[in-house]
Amino acid sequence: MFSYWEQKNFLKYDLIVIGSGFVGLSTAIHFKKKHPKSSVVVLERGIFPSGASSKNAGFACFGSLTEILDDFRHMSEDEVLGLVNKRYMGLKEIKKKFGKKELGYKDSKGYELLEESQLSALSELARVNKMLKGLFKEDVFSEVKGFKKYGFSDSIKMVIQNKFEGELDPARYLKSLWDLAGKLGIRLLNGVNVSELNKDTGQVLAKNSWDGKSFEFHGRQLAICTNAFTNQLLPQEDLNPGRGLVMVSEPLDFKISWKGSFHMDKGYVYFRKIDGRLLLGGARNVDFENEETTDFMINPKIESHLDRLANEVIFPGREIKWDTVWTGIMAFGKKKTPIIQQVGNRAVIAVRLGGMGVAIGWQVGKDLASLISEK
Ligand SMILES: Cc1cc2nc3c(=O)[nH]c(=O)nc-3n(C[C@H](O)[C@H](O)[C@H](O)COP(=O)(O)OP(=O)(O)OC[C@H]3O[C@@H](n4cnc5c(N)ncnc54)[C@H](O)[C@@H]3O)c2cc1C
């Protein structure tokens, strides 16, 4: 039961954003900047954002060579270039906005490990560089001739460098967003699980995490930024969840001879070093069917696949011990672009961020905020 004061002051807003990941926070920030007098609240079911934004691997990437080649098979050249451009510009924008130090951002370059069966990608390297020249003004991809010194297993036949990729600490990025949201006077309410919404009236039913009781908010506008969990509120035709696993090792008792953000297996597997440890994740492709879920469980098949890669391919002959293992949930569709649209008289949506939300989340929120303002 709410007090008179709570009902009068806490339940009605000009904009209610549902979901406090990168996209929800960016939407709230951009809207509030445009409409400083408006009241804006972000409702989040978890103590922290509980989807992908604080669970990811922190790769500031826009596509490895084989990933881009794979995209060319399903998309037009303009579409692929558009995606790469959006991701790269997104990374530049957050560096400029929040500062590299605040984000824990390192321009450490991206790398891709190629096995024998993937060597054919090398014959396409020059063509891809040429296509990307308009965006980057110089070659993006190059062969790393002296890669043997990295000590990967003999199954690795070549390493490709991507000059423009980097890495960051995703929770520091979120902290920067929280700080900015706070400065602007945006309210962030955690532990509020939205169970129903009315996209035409702006009504939002939520559950209190401490007593499980339902209550009602009202927004003049609603922004739905629930990514992989959207189907529970507002079913979308082309949106499927995709779980991702990340593992961080105990501190290593040897020196790692490489640095940067590394990809394997068309980008499905990724690793980097953090704080003298190995961070390794991905491999959804080992069990696609069971990873299409919003359940945060750890899939033992994927965990052991990654463990084997660590001990046999990345550090052959070593026995890596794991300190922290977690999962997060992404959202995918047949199309690689996010859904950003109006869905009712009072509601807009920005979801389906895929595996590149670090790069595009800020801009997606900006686009969603302009969509609300245009109305
Ligand atoms: C394991 C993993 C690794 C990744 N690695 C990278 C990477 O290295 N680089 C990269 O660019 N991207 C990576 N990504 C993808 C990136 O993290 C996402 O694209 C991005 O975080 C999506 O942001 P979002 O705000 O759309 O969604 P989310 O961060 O999922 O935010 C949605 C929020 O909505 C909340 N919510 C959902 N339903 C409700 C409800 N009913 N009521 C209230 N709140 C609700 C959730 O709790 C969640 O906090 C990775 C993702 C995962 C899972």
Side-chain angles (χ1 to χ4, degrees):
M1 191 188 299
F2 290 122
S3 71
Y4 179 77
W5 317 116
E6 287 165 334
Q7 291 181 46
K8 195 171 160 191
N9 292 290
F10 294 165
L11 298 175
K12 286 199 176 97
Y13 296 89
D14 292 319
L15 174 66
I16 298 181
V17 178
I18 306 163
S20 77
F22 299 141
V23 175
L25 291 170
S26 168
T27 303
I29 289 168
H30 283 101
F31 182 83
K32 181 77 174 168
K33 276 189 152 173
K34 231 177 185 167
H35 307 278
K37 292 199 174 130
S38 63
S39 54
V40 179
V41 70
V42 183
L43 305 179
E44 168 56 52
R45 61 183 184 168
I47 307 172
F48 308 126
S50 303
S53 296
S54 57
K55 312 278 187 197
N56 64 62
F59 282 60
C61 53
F62 54 82
S64 66
L65 177 65
T66 61
E67 211 175 341
I68 290 178
L69 284 171
D70 201 44
D71 284 349
F72 275 128
R73 275 183 266 283
H74 307 108
M75 295 156 78
S76 72
E77 189 175 319
D78 280 352
E79 281 176 321
V80 177
L81 291 180
L83 267 186
V84 171
N85 187 33
K86 232 185 178 142
R87 293 165 182 166
Y88 180 58
M89 289 304 159
L91 292 171
K92 270 177 93 166
E93 183 76 20
I94 58 169
K95 274 193 272 187
K96 195 168 136 211
K97 177 80 197 161
F98 299 106
K100 280 169 50 169
K101 196 162 163 236
E102 281 66 23
L103 299 175
Y105 200 108
K106 290 185 210 146
D107 284 304
S108 49
K109 301 186 174 66
Y111 294 86
E112 179 172 24
L113 274 48
L114 298 185
E115 294 189 318
E116 186 81 45
S117 61
Q118 296 165 316
L119 284 179
S120 59
L122 295 178
S123 61
E124 309 262 25
L125 191 148
R127 183 171 73 94
V128 174
N129 272 339
K130 201 169 160 201
M131 282 194 271
L132 297 177
K133 204 110 194 196
L135 300 179
F136 294 90
K137 311 293 175 222
E138 48 186 312
D139 285 349
V140 174
F141 297 107
S142 59
E143 294 181 17
V144 180
K145 300 283 187 212
F147 73 90
K148 291 279 180 200
K149 68 174 183 282
Y150 295 158
F152 300 134
S153 86
D154 289 341
S155 64
I156 303 306
K157 303 296 181 198
M158 180 46 76
V159 174
I160 306 290
Q161 185 193 77
N162 176 332
K163 202 190 261 185
F164 296 96
E165 289 191 335
E167 51 192 310
L168 54 66
D169 177 335
R172 283 173 70 168
Y173 177 19
L174 278 169
K175 278 205 285 192
S176 302
L177 291 166
W178 285 344
D179 288 350
L180 182 53
K183 269 190 208 146
L184 292 169
I186 294 164
R187 229 167 263 174
L188 178 54
L189 300 182
N190 289 73
V192 181
N193 192 4
V194 173
S195 50
E196 259 176 68
L197 58 85
N198 186 320
K199 52 192 174 29
D200 295 313
T201 63
Q203 244 175 346
V204 172
L205 279 182
K207 276 214 170 100
N208 210 334
S209 62
W210 62 277
D211 64 2
K213 289 208 172 120
S214 290
F215 60 98
E216 198 177 303
F217 287 99
H218 191 270
R220 284 159 65 92
Q221 302 291 339
L222 307 180
I224 302 155
C225 304
T226 43
N227 204 31
F229 308 91
T230 308
N231 290 340
Q232 292 155 15
L233 282 177
L234 201 68
Q236 297 297 300
E237 248 174 46
D238 185 20
L239 185 149
N240 298 307
R243 185 168 56 197
L245 178 72
V246 183
M247 307 160 69
V248 171
S249 75
E250 289 180 0
L252 301 172
D253 58 4
F254 57 92
K255 205 167 173 296
I256 303 178
S257 58
W258 42 261
K259 68 169 181 176
S261 38
F262 285 73
H263 290 94
M264 298 172 63
D265 207 0
K266 285 191 204 153
Y268 279 112
V269 173
Y270 38 83
F271 63 93
R272 64 185 178 113
K273 62 173 169 184
I274 46 159
D275 307 329
R277 303 163 189 255
L278 172 68
L279 176 154
L280 172 63
R284 248 177 356 106
N285 55 336
V286 168
D287 194 0
F288 268 134
E289 205 180 316
N290 285 311
E291 291 304 284
E292 200 176 296
T293 174
T294 52
D295 184 331
F296 283 80
M297 198 199 90
I298 287 166
N299 182 335
K301 195 171 163 186
I302 292 182
E303 193 179 15
S304 61
H305 178 78
L306 290 173
D307 181 59
R308 190 188 62 74
L309 288 180
N311 298 317
E312 293 178 13
V313 178
I314 302 170
F315 297 124
R318 304 262 185 192
E319 201 185 319
I320 304 301
K321 293 203 168 59
W322 302 102
D323 177 293
T324 313
V325 180
W326 72 87
T327 58
I329 316 288
M330 293 167 271
F332 297 98
K334 284 183 210 89
K335 283 196 153 188
K336 273 198 159 181
T337 45
I339 302 171
I340 307 175
Q341 63 191 35
Q342 177 133 13
V343 286
N345 287 340
R346 290 183 186 270
V348 293
I349 188 168
V351 296
R352 197 176 66 192
L353 271 280
M356 298 271 179
V358 169
I360 60 170
W362 176 251
Q363 182 61 41
V364 168
K366 189 175 179 183
D367 293 348
L368 191 65
S370 345
L371 195 61
I372 309 166
S373 302
E374 273 167 21
K375 289 167 55 183

